[in-house]
């Protein structure tokens, strides 16, 4: 489907004999997979991170479905070079600490009381849904800033501290997750708004 950059975190499963058989003709991806000791290390050069999770396991409750993720990533691809789609462990998924490294969370809506897909099924769903991104060609926009979203997060956290509400976990979690859903234009406008608020508070 066009996805070729595989990064493995703290696992040797891809080196097992059965891995190549399960890969069904994608042995080159396994051969070129890169290993990292932690998820933070694997994401060090990534501009935008999407993490998959089951709703019932997540500390956070704001996430995009696979269908909602496609237009979001199409917009992000115009001003960010590298995006990562993160899948968790087969048995336990991603920890809350690992989910906190993501810009956006995503989950597959399920009817069952205990929604869960196995890892292979989840990868197939997302690769199929996002395959069109690999054929997309974008002209670079005039205003580009790969650090804009990171800077906005830091600025928002600082403002929460200034307002004395940094300990409001629900508000902080909501803000962290919603910021990742903003388009580039909205992100730039929010920067301007926060600047005006900071200026007013400093008077």
């Amino acid at each position: 489907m066009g996805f070729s950059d595989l990064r493995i975190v703290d696992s040797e499963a891809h080196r097992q004999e059965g891995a190549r058989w399960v890969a069904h003709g994608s042995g080159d991806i396994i051969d070129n997979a890169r290993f990292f000791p932690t998820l933070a290390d694997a994401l060090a050069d990534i501009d935008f991170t999407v993490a998959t999770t089951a709703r019932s396991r997540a500390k956070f409750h704001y996430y995009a479905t696979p269908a909602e993720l496609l237009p979001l990533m199409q917009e992000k691809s115009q001003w960010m070079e590298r995006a990562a789609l993160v899948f968790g462990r087969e048995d336990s998924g991603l920890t809350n600490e690992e989910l906190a490294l993501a810009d956006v969370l995503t989950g597959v809506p399920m009817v069952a009381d205990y929604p869960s897909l196995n890892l292979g099924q989840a990868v197939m769903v997302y690769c199929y849904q996002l395959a069109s991104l690999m054929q997309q060609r974008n002209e670079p926009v005039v205003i580009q800033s790969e650090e804009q979203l990171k800077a906005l997060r830091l600025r928002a956290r600082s403002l929460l501290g200034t307002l004395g509400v940094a300990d409001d976990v629900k508000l902080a979690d909501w803000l962290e997750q919603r910021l990742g859903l903003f388009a580039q234009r909205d992100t730039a406008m929010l920067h301007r708004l926060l600047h005006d608020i900071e200026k007013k508070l400093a008077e």
Side-chain angles (χ1 to χ4, degrees), residues 61-123:
H61 303 288
Y62 311 100
Y63 69 102
T65 65
E68 294 168 339
L69 197 58
L70 180 59
L72 175 67
M73 297 306 295
Q74 287 173 331
E75 192 279 333
K76 299 295 184 187
S77 68
Q78 299 179 39
W79 58 293
M80 290 186 175
E81 292 185 7
R82 298 183 184 88
L85 181 59
V86 182
F87 296 91
R89 303 157 188 82
E90 181 78 62
D91 57 347
S92 59
L94 296 167
T95 66
N96 284 332
E97 290 74 18
E98 290 167 335
L99 291 173
L101 297 175
D103 295 299
V104 166
L105 300 184
T106 179
V108 179
M110 302 286 286
V111 176
D113 291 336
Y114 299 97
S116 180
L117 296 175
N118 67 41
L119 182 57
Q121 291 170 332
V123 172

